[in-house]
Amino acid sequence: MLSLWEDTTKMPAFKNLGKDIKTDVLVIGGGMAGVLCAYMLNQAGVDYTLVEAKNICGGITKNTTAKITAQHGLLYHKLISEFGAEKAKQYLDMNLNAVDKFRELCSNINCDFENKDSYVYSLESKDIIDNELAALRKLGYKAEFAGNIPLPFSIAGAVRFKNQAQFSPLKFAAGISKDLNIYENTKVQQLIGTKAVTNGGIINAKRIIVATHFPFLNKHGAYFLKLYQQRSYVIALENAQNVNGMYIDAAEGGFSFRNYKDLLFIGGGEHRTGKKSSAWHELREFARMNYPDSEEKYHWATQDCMTLDSAPYIGEYSGSSNGVYVATGFNKWGMTSSMAAAQILCDMITGRKKYSNNVFSPSRTIFRPQLVVNAFEAVINLVNFKPKRCPHLGCALKWNPYEHSWDCPCHGSRFTADGKLIDNPATDDLKN
């Protein structure tokens, strides 16, 4: 089950660490966020090293639909309600800047970059569209109302962000990473302060950025309570439709659409990892009904870290872990969130800018309704007496019949049928 990106892109290879080293900044994790952090540090003249347990961008990044947009669902009215207009504006500006930074970098990288408008549509409620437009006006952003979009169904309305973008993520990552200081197949086994013990040697760093999708340090930050993971699904169709834009349903469980060359991507089917799902069934049924002459060329699934309040955690890992930073919880919007994280963390490390009153602060309140749900899932799956247990924190695993994997409903770790680790926060294979 290869994604289109994985099947069509040759990534650069990097040697593994075979000695003890010193570095000013150690970046752990070679997905899009980690690679961009390394790039920004390199550009700033900072001594850095990036280590990746397997191969760069071989985890979640290879399965993204690669939309580069500051429009993250109908988010901004919620951010104003949760955080106030100042922090909502900070979120918007950081992500708009991220779009512009991608546009700048992609001008020198052959990665199929295209400027496209972005839409969030509602099938039933014009009111929620109007509420989002009003919130964006309050933040000084001129989004537009759209009453029709080129998809095979009618809508109540949509919010349009002009001049957003899409690209091939692995082509971009291959281009931007080739000259960076990266070690692959170098797994961090233990952190002692800012000293990292790996399978290839010890790395003595002054500061550390944890960019491992789901943070793996359980003693600090309570990320096992502040995060959960969702799976969602994608099919890529030939002979379907050119929709000339990026579209996503405002409703939970709705569909998303974008093109790549002569293919149409349809995404959806989201659910909490470890819960029952219909996987690709609804997407294929939609394609059968609306694009009967199409042919499925690819299908894949992805996994996203979700926060308690829809904003990522970017900044100091916790109040008790000096010199350690984190970038996680991108809530399905990993491209601009990765770029924003890289810019924020590089600024913090170099001292170029301080982010006071920061909407992304990992130390913000955790008292949100989702915290109760996360705690409940942890409790019921810890007291479940099924023998297959996740090595992360001991939750009972659930069998996923569509992807033939063992999935953790607490924190989203996944394992192959024979126990090999697929997705973190677990760091080890299952024990027999």
Side-chain angles (χ1 to χ4, degrees):
M1 185 180 68
L2 296 179
S3 71
L4 166 71
W5 318 125
E6 190 179 13
D7 191 42
T8 59
T9 308
K10 181 175 176 57
M11 296 295 291
F14 300 89
K15 63 184 179 181
N16 65 311
L17 181 67
K19 59 183 179 181
D20 295 348
I21 62 170
K22 293 182 179 180
T23 187
D24 284 350
V25 182
L26 171 63
V27 181
I28 304 174
M32 185 64 76
V35 167
L36 286 173
C37 283
Y39 174 82
M40 294 294 179
L41 293 168
N42 185 59
Q43 292 296 109
V46 175
D47 177 45
Y48 73 94
T49 299
L50 185 153
V51 295
E52 162 57 42
K54 295 181 180 177
N55 304 107
I56 63 165
C57 295
I60 302 302
T61 300
K62 72 180 186 300
N63 295 325
T64 178
T65 51
K67 299 171 184 173
I68 306 172
T69 175
Q71 188 183 35
H72 299 170
L74 298 184
L75 177 68
Y76 290 100
H77 74 288
K78 180 178 180 181
L79 290 181
I80 291 173
S81 175
E82 295 274 5
F83 298 104
E86 180 183 353
K87 289 185 178 180
K89 181 71 160 55
Q90 182 186 48
Y91 185 106
L92 175 63
D93 289 346
M94 286 302 306
N95 281 281
L96 289 172
N97 289 339
V99 176
D100 289 340
K101 187 63 177 180
F102 268 117
R103 185 173 288 116
E104 173 194 329
L105 295 177
C106 291
S107 65
N108 297 312
I109 299 173
N110 180 15
C111 59
D112 304 317
F113 181 92
E114 297 178 282
N115 291 303
K116 294 289 182 181
D117 292 349
S118 174
Y119 300 79
V120 177
Y121 63 87
S122 175
L123 298 175
E124 299 177 348
S125 174
K126 184 174 181 292
D127 287 345
I128 62 173
I129 299 299
D130 290 339
N131 289 341
E132 183 72 357
L133 288 166
L136 288 162
R137 284 194 296 271
K138 186 174 183 178
L139 301 179
Y141 184 77
K142 295 181 179 179
E144 297 179 356
F145 174 81
N148 296 287
I149 53 177
L151 292 173
F153 46 76
S154 60
I155 61 170
V159 179
R160 177 189 184 192
F161 275 35
K162 297 180 69 175
N163 203 32
Q164 306 298 289
Q166 59 188 31
F167 71 159
S168 171
L170 294 192
K171 286 184 179 180
F172 171 80
I176 206 167
S177 66
K178 60 184 179 182
D179 296 321
L180 297 179
N181 185 31
I182 294 173
Y183 293 98
E184 291 184 321
N185 299 302
T186 301
K187 179 180 177 181
V188 174
Q189 299 168 322
Q190 184 182 11
L191 282 184
I192 306 169
T194 56
K195 180 173 74 173
V197 179
T198 81
N199 60 327
I202 294 174
I203 304 173
N204 284 286
K206 296 177 181 177
R207 298 182 182 182
I208 290 177
I209 295 174
V210 178
T212 55
H213 188 62
F214 197 116
F216 66 97
L217 294 174
N218 291 321
K219 294 180 181 179
H220 305 281
Y223 292 97
F224 58 90
L225 285 175
K226 297 195 299 192
L227 291 171
Y228 68 102
Q229 299 202 62
Q230 282 191 347
R231 291 195 71 68
S232 55
Y233 304 86
V234 184
I235 57 174
L237 303 177
E238 195 173 56
N239 301 321
Q241 179 187 6
N242 181 1
V243 299
N244 193 30
M246 304 177 295
Y247 307 83
I248 190 166
D249 195 338
E252 186 175 348
F255 292 168
S256 70
F257 303 84
R258 69 155 283 196
N259 291 103
Y260 176 74
K261 296 185 177 179
D262 60 346
L263 298 174
L264 173 65
F265 294 177
I266 306 177
E270 65 187 33
H271 64 93
R272 186 175 179 126
T273 303
K275 296 292 187 178
K276 291 182 179 179
S277 77
S278 59
W280 296 273
H281 174 75
E282 292 180 11
L283 304 178
R284 288 168 173 157
E285 185 63 17
F286 179 89
R288 185 185 68 81
M289 294 291 294
N290 293 280
Y291 304 113
D293 296 327
S294 67
E295 179 182 357
E296 183 179 309
K297 304 299 289 186
Y298 293 92
H299 72 278
W300 68 91
T302 192
Q303 184 150 297
D304 296 282
C305 284
M306 313 297 290
T307 65
L308 301 174
D309 52 21
S310 302
Y313 300 122
I314 304 168
E316 294 183 347
Y317 199 99
S318 73
S320 60
S321 51
N322 293 331
V324 183
Y325 301 82
V326 70
T328 188
F330 295 160
N331 298 293
K332 301 185 180 180
W333 300 103
M335 297 300 99
T336 53
S337 295
S338 289
M339 183 67 78
Q343 292 176 314
I344 290 169
L345 294 177
C346 185
D347 284 346
M348 293 178 73
I349 285 170
T350 59
R352 291 186 303 200
K353 183 176 179 181
K354 292 184 178 180
Y355 289 85
S356 58
N357 198 29
N358 184 7
V359 66
F360 303 106
S361 172
S363 298
R364 65 186 185 264
T365 182
I366 65 172
F367 295 109
R368 306 290 191 189
Q370 184 63 43
L371 178 66
V372 178
V373 178
N374 290 355
F376 176 76
E377 288 292 339
V379 170
I380 63 172
N381 288 288
L382 281 169
V383 300
N384 187 314
F385 294 106
K386 291 184 178 178
K388 290 280 186 182
R389 317 295 295 193
C390 180
H392 173 232
L393 289 177
C395 289
L397 299 174
K398 303 290 181 66
W399 176 246
N400 177 342
Y402 297 102
E403 300 179 77
H404 305 289
S405 61
W406 289 102
D407 299 353
C408 177
C410 293
H411 309 109
S413 298
R414 299 179 60 245
F415 306 86
T416 63
D418 59 357
K420 299 295 184 183
L421 179 65
I422 302 172
D423 292 316
N424 69 346
T427 58
D428 297 306
D429 298 338
L430 295 180
K431 296 179 180 178
N432 294 328

